[in-house]
Amino acid sequence: MTIRPIRLLGDPVLRTPAETVTSFDAELRQLVRDLLDTLTGEPGRAGVAAPQIGVSARVFSYGADQVVGYVVNPRVVELGGEQDGDEGCLSIPGLAFPTPRAMRAVVEGVDEHGEPVRVAGTGLLARALQHETDHLDGRLYIDTLKGDTRRQALRAVRSAFSPR
């Protein structure tokens, strides 16, 4: 089991769109294993994207509502409904803010062999699918916040991540 360290806010890999996977080889299979181990090796994790472990590849693992898996080259193909609730991120530890998301999400991509994959979820799984796909585009959940919530989040981030 390989639990990889999580990259924190300020690391450029988190703000850079990840590269599309084109080689379905042993290196990709190892990345998928590492993402799944990093996800399941610590309690309370709902997803880990490759950039969060320092790899610029469009791959993420997810684990919510007793469903664990991964998607290579994912794209959100369907969103429906609305949910609001606190959302946090392993790359911004200790902080969580009310973050609007779609209540239902469908992601399509491929597996480690290039075979088609479709993952549909509601609630927490839908939130995780959207959150992890955002990571692959260089976006963090705090980027989606608006108004007072955004101001509060940015103040908290500055306080938590400023040099002391």
Side-chain angles (χ1 to χ4, degrees), residues 25-148:
D25 55 12
E27 187 176 335
L28 174 62
R29 288 188 292 282
Q30 183 62 55
L31 173 59
V32 166
R33 278 193 302 279
D34 288 354
L35 285 167
L36 289 169
D37 287 350
T38 302
L39 170 72
T40 60
E42 298 285 335
R45 292 182 169 179
V48 178
Q52 290 184 281
I53 61 171
V55 179
S56 179
R58 294 191 67 80
V59 185
F60 68 72
S61 61
Y62 60 87
D65 302 333
Q66 285 80 47
V67 179
V68 175
Y70 70 93
V71 184
V72 177
N73 295 333
R75 62 188 194 291
V76 176
V77 296
E78 227 177 279
L79 295 172
E82 295 176 8
Q83 64 173 308
D84 200 12
D86 282 351
E87 188 167 322
C89 180
L90 298 172
S91 294
I92 310 173
L95 300 177
F97 296 93
T99 306
R101 293 282 187 179
M103 177 57 84
R104 181 173 189 285
V106 179
V107 170
E108 291 180 349
V110 296
D111 67 11
E112 63 189 15
H113 304 290
E115 297 298 319
V117 171
R118 181 178 170 94
V119 182
T122 59
L124 181 59
L125 181 54
R127 182 176 294 278
L129 294 172
Q130 293 166 80
H131 181 109
E132 301 310 325
T133 302
D134 280 352
H135 270 300
L136 303 181
D137 294 328
R139 282 192 312 265
L140 300 172
Y141 83 99
I142 58 173
D143 300 332
T144 69
L145 303 177
K146 296 190 179 354
D148 286 339

